[in-house]
């Protein structure tokens, strides 16, 4: 029963995400046929939860089987009608310009294949642990599973949750978190008819799969299939990333959404076709809008920086003569319109309920106070602990060796975004009362996790360029 509920519970959001992406692409597809399914694994469930949330807070439905199914079925029927009218299903098939295969040493091929097998074993072992061990992480229990179970029992979006001994989990804290993860756990439990830990925890494997698939195809636009596979295995090799991915927490879920938005910007920067630029801008708007419904960090940190990156890309394309001023304005307006369409329901709900904008703490109430211990903790975290292996050393080294090329589009998007995010996090964890989140190795680790796929992708791209330049340089 758990497996059946899981398959059905994922299939409907997956179909919803796939149809939405297909219609945004229409006659100018930019995603590969398999790639689109991985993107739908990330965006589809979030869109599904957002629809249920909207209908529920408007008082139209409860959080029961009808309340989850009706909004998505209605939207699916509308999307199907539009697809039929616009001939989206019969549009010419298109495969992105993935990089071709290149000759590699036999030892490297064997090494990558062995690494891929070992990576598969690690993911399988972690997944088995995920669905067989009850939730024991404090945050995953309080923030996600307990809220989901409360929604399932009450069939209501409850902001204040009794946690025993007369204590109440207030709406100003955990209740201010976006409800996507607990709502999807409620959905699976509603299908099953009971709350089952293996069922609701298995949901996190879906986001990990979507992240890895999207990461692989992001590499494929520049690298051969085997090198892309090797790069994806390197991502999985990061210890803290694998641990988080195989536990019922929400940071891989958020990292996947941030990665998709960045992949849209990279492809937009590389695209010279105005129509395909419009498609990438549309998908970026969808990704950015749904990002707001993941975690609070999206609103206060990632969404503003991603919007800044979009402005930079459009400015550079206009300066290069690829777009004129009017075209750039239209693309910006289109992406912002789509983003606000999906972000507005959650933002309006937060404002109307007086919920905080921050990591369970009000952003407006944070004071500026320097804490030297947090800097020591950040340095220790990056240099002494094996959370990210050698990535904190290799990434800056690759940027330094690449010089100005690391800051030119499209790789410049990865470089600048990474620098801005990490700088902002260091400031937040050093100059605000959130310093204990760094000193106790909690919020800092999760914040870095959100951008580690981006750091790994940047490192792989820059390293590949450096190796290629070295091999092509004339010998003296």
């Amino acid at each position: 029963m758990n497996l059946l509920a899981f398959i059905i519970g994922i299939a409907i959001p997956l179909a919803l995400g796939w149809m939405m992406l297909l219609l945004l692409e229409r006659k100018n597809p930019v995603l590969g046929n398999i790639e689109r399914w991985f993107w739908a694994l990330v965006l589809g469930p979030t869109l599904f939860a957002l629809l249920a949330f909207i209908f529920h807070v408007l008082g139209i439905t409860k959080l029961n089987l009808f309340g989850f199914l009706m909004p998505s079925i209605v939207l699916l029927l509308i999307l199907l009608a539009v697809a039929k009218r616009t001939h989206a299903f019969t549009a010419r098939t298109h495969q992105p310009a993935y990089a071709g295969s290149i000759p590699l040493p036999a030892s490297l091929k064997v090494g990558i294949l062995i690494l891929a097998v070992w990576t598969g074993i690690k993911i399988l072992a972690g997944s088995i642990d995920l669905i067989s061990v009850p939730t024991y992480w404090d945050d995953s229990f309080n923030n996600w599973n307990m809220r989901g179970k409360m929604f399932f029992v009450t069939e209501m979006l409850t902001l204040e949750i009794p946690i025993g001994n007369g204590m109440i989990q207030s709406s100003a804290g955990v209740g201010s978190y976006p409800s996507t993860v607990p709502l999807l756990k409620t959905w699976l439990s509603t299908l099953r008819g009971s709350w089952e830990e293996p069922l609701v925890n298995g949901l996190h494997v879906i986001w990990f799969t979507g992240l890895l698939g999207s990461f692989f195809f992001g590499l494929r636009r520049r690298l051969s299939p085997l090198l892309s596979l090797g790069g994806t295995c390197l991502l999985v090799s990061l210890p803290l990333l694998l641990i988080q991915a195989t536990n019922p927490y929400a940071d891989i879920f958020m990292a996947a959404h941030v990665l998709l938005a960045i992949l849209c910007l990279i492809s937009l920067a590389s695209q010279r076709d105005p129509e395909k630029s419009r498609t990438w801008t549309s998908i970026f708007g969808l990704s950015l809008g749904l990002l707001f419904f993941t975690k609070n960090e999206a609103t206060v940190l990632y969404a503003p920086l991603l919007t800044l990156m979009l402005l930079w890309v459009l400015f550079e394309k206009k300066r290069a003569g690829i777009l004129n001023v009017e075209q750039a304005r239209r693309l910006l307006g289109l992406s912002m319109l789509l983003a606000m369409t999906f972000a507005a329901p959650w933002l309006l709900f937060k404002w109307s309920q007086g919920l905080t904008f921050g990591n369970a703490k009000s952003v407006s109430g944070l004071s500026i106070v320097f804490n030297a211990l947090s800097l020591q903790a950040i340095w220790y975290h990056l240099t002494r602990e094996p959370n990210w292996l050698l990535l904190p050393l290799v990434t800056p080294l690759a940027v330094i060796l690449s010089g100005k090329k690391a800051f030119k589009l499209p790789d410049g998007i990865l470089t600048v975004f990474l620098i801005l995010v990490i700088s902002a996090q260091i400031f937040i964890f050093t100059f605000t009362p959130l310093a204990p989140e760094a000193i106790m190795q909690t919020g800092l680790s999760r914040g870095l996790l959100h951008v580690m796929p981006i750091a790994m992708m940047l490192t792989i791209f820059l390293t590949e360029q450096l190796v290629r330049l070295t091999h092509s340089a004339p010998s003296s």
Side-chain angles (χ1 to χ4, degrees), residues 6 135 145 184-186 188-189 194-204 248:
F6 186 79
T135 302
N145 283 23
L184 290 168
K185 291 173 182 278
T186 304
L188 292 176
S189 299
S194 62
W195 180 272
E196 302 288 341
E197 289 281 319
L199 173 62
V200 299
N201 290 343
L203 179 65
H204 295 264

Side-chain angles (χ1 to χ4, degrees), residues 206-220:
I206 293 299
W207 290 311
F208 192 32
T209 303
L211 171 68
L212 295 183
S214 303
F215 186 85
F216 170 81
F217 281 104
L219 295 180
R220 278 290 290 115

Side-chain angles (χ1 to χ4, degrees), residues 22 24 38 95 110 141 201 204 244 248 277 289 311 333 384 405:
L22 184 71
L24 288 178
F38 284 111
Q95 285 296 322
V110 172
F141 177 80
N201 290 343
H204 295 264
Q244 285 271 2
S277 294
L311 290 170
R384 302 294 182 86
K405 291 182 179 179

